[in-house]
Amino acid sequence: MLETRIFPRPPRRSLALACALVLAASAAHAAAAPLAYVTSEKAGVGVIDLDQMTLTQTFPVGAGGPRGLSLNADGTRLLVANKNTNDLAVIDTATGKVVQRVKIGKNPEYVRVRNGYAYVTYEPGEDGGPPGAKPDAKGDNKPAANAGNKPGADDDDANKPPAEIAIIDMKNWHVIRSVTSGHETEGIEFSRDGQMMLVTNEGDDTVSIYHTRTGAPIRTVKLAAGGRPRGIRLSPDGKHYVVTLESLSKFVVIDAHTFEVVKTVDTKLGPYGVAFGPNGQRLFVAAARDRVVQVFDGHTYEHVADVPVGQRCWHFSFTPDGSKLMVACGRSDAVYVLDAKSYQPLKQIGELPLAWGIVTYPHSDGSIESH
């Protein structure tokens, strides 16, 4: 006679625990996949699988015109500045859904996250480009000839409201203070100890320095007239800041202790995004109007190479393993992928109309985030 054996059914609690463990394992696996997030002013936020180097999905943010972006420490929240809706969208990276919107002000642009706070620049007096900017023959925004005029000109930045920096507590998503800056505030960087926040002001040709937590002003560094400073990055050894001057096609090296300019270096046309490579041996500068990423020695600042890319390439990021450089090119509607050592082109990832900024998780160095 066949024997029927009856096995006891596992308790429901055990089943629930087993399911939870499976889900947790799946989530951990998904979180382990390196990703890049790219703001596309016309499409939303593109998500790139860095193992496959393919665009896998797009997070919709409405008709916001997303530009600046940054991630929280564990990569679960992506913060995106939206120029058309004047807010900061907080996206759950697991679902791609906007879970919070923080009202900022007109024309929010650049976003940095540090120690549980978000710092967002916005420009009440600007429309999103240099004064008098018109597309040149290459399709890039080129400042008009009088963009660097002295105060008193009809289109001078001094006659417009200054930019501001909203400081947001990421625990409750409240704007705890707004710091008045210069005109057309662009890049944000922090001192090595995190006590100071430095911002570039395109319209004033200055770098403003504030206490990071309180927003209290410390000092203002005046740069060359008409230079329009945009990108800023601290050197890995903490000794210098590098600031790009878009209209003069140069970058300056500023002593991090005295805040004096110690070196000026010529670049190709229209330098914007700037970052040191993962090991600090090379400095990379996106010269947008000449359609190249320039490479310089990270210590002497001697020119090393010019790497052709697409049109209106402002921001870039290294992959988390440091092996590739990814350049967001707005007028080419694509991200250009380069070998970080040989600088050879590897791939173009399209379907990213008016690509603006790019960051990765795990976090890596680039023109927007630095770690």
Side-chain angles (χ1 to χ4, degrees):
M1 179 181 295
L2 294 174
E3 180 180 1
T4 302
R5 302 181 65 185
I6 301 175
F7 294 91
R9 178 178 294 179
R12 290 187 177 182
R13 183 178 298 176
S14 299
L15 286 173
L17 179 59
C19 291
L21 289 173
V22 170
L23 290 173
S26 299
H29 176 74
L35 300 171
Y37 300 95
V38 184
T39 46
S40 162
E41 292 190 65
K42 291 186 176 181
V45 179
V47 183
I48 296 174
D49 182 318
L50 295 180
D51 286 337
Q52 304 299 320
M53 280 296 166
T54 56
L55 182 68
T56 59
Q57 60 179 315
T58 300
F59 295 160
V61 291
R67 293 189 292 181
L69 73 169
S70 195
L71 285 157
N72 66 348
D74 63 7
T76 59
R77 294 292 184 268
L78 179 68
L79 284 61
V80 179
N82 301 292
K83 68 176 181 180
N84 295 333
T85 50
N86 301 328
D87 63 14
L88 181 76
V90 182
I91 299 173
D92 182 332
T93 55
T95 65
K97 304 295 185 182
V98 175
V99 295
Q100 186 84 29
R101 286 190 181 270
V102 183
K103 197 68 177 176
I104 300 297
K106 185 179 178 182
N107 205 26
E109 182 168 8
Y110 204 91
V111 184
R112 285 293 300 270
V113 168
R114 187 177 179 90
N115 294 336
Y117 293 87
Y119 300 80
V120 184
T121 67
Y122 62 104
E123 303 165 344
E126 298 302 330
D127 296 319
K134 297 179 180 179
D136 64 11
K138 296 181 180 180
D140 303 316
N141 283 334
K142 187 173 184 178
N146 63 351
N149 283 351
K150 296 179 180 180
D154 290 340
D155 63 347
D156 187 71
D157 296 302
N159 296 323
K160 301 173 182 177
E164 300 201 18
I165 306 150
I167 303 178
I168 301 163
D169 187 332
M170 293 168 61
K171 292 190 295 293
N172 54 26
W173 301 110
H174 290 166
V175 177
I176 59 173
R177 65 180 56 88
S178 191
V179 180
T180 300
S181 186
H183 290 87
E184 282 194 88
T185 295
E186 289 288 333
I188 300 176
E189 182 60 299
F190 299 97
S191 60
R192 196 173 194 183
D193 61 6
Q195 297 300 305
M196 293 184 294
M197 173 177 62
L198 294 85
V199 300
T200 55
N201 303 304
E202 240 192 303
D204 292 346
D205 299 318
T206 60
V207 174
S208 299
I209 306 170
Y210 305 92
H211 288 286
T212 301
R213 291 295 297 274
T214 67
I218 297 174
R219 65 179 295 174
T220 299
V221 179
K222 186 68 177 176
L223 300 177
R228 304 196 72 83
R230 299 199 76 173
I232 181 170
R233 186 58 76 238
L234 178 67
S235 62
D237 60 11
K239 294 181 179 180
H240 300 104
Y241 296 97
V242 175
V243 178
T244 55
L245 304 180
E246 182 187 36
S247 291
L248 294 181
S249 296
K250 301 178 186 294
F251 67 79
V252 293
V253 182
I254 299 174
D255 186 286
H257 300 289
T258 66
F259 298 106
E260 298 292 330
V261 174
V262 296
K263 194 177 186 70
T264 301
V265 179
D266 291 331
T267 68
K268 293 288 188 178
L269 293 177
Y272 185 175
V274 57
F276 287 85
N279 60 11
Q281 298 302 307
R282 292 287 185 263
L283 176 75
F284 295 78
V285 176
R289 293 205 298 275
D290 260 332
R291 303 183 187 179
V292 297
V293 171
Q294 293 194 277
V295 187
F296 298 85
D297 186 282
H299 303 288
T300 66
Y301 303 106
E302 295 296 321
H303 178 254
V304 174
D306 291 338
V307 187
V309 286
Q311 299 182 49
R312 206 208 74 173
C313 307
W314 284 347
H315 289 293
F316 55 87
S317 177
F318 291 89
T319 53
D321 64 4
S323 67
K324 299 176 183 66
L325 179 65
M326 307 181 69
V327 187
C329 297
R331 296 293 179 188
S332 297
D333 300 334
V335 167
Y336 283 59
V337 184
L338 311 172
D339 185 285
K341 292 183 178 179
S342 69
Y343 316 131
Q344 293 300 307
L346 300 176
K347 188 173 186 178
Q348 291 182 35
I349 302 172
E351 300 183 37
L352 292 163
L354 284 183
W356 198 94
I358 180 169
V359 297
T360 71
Y361 190 80
H363 296 280
S364 57
D365 293 308
S367 60
I368 293 179
E369 291 192 338
S370 61
H371 300 277

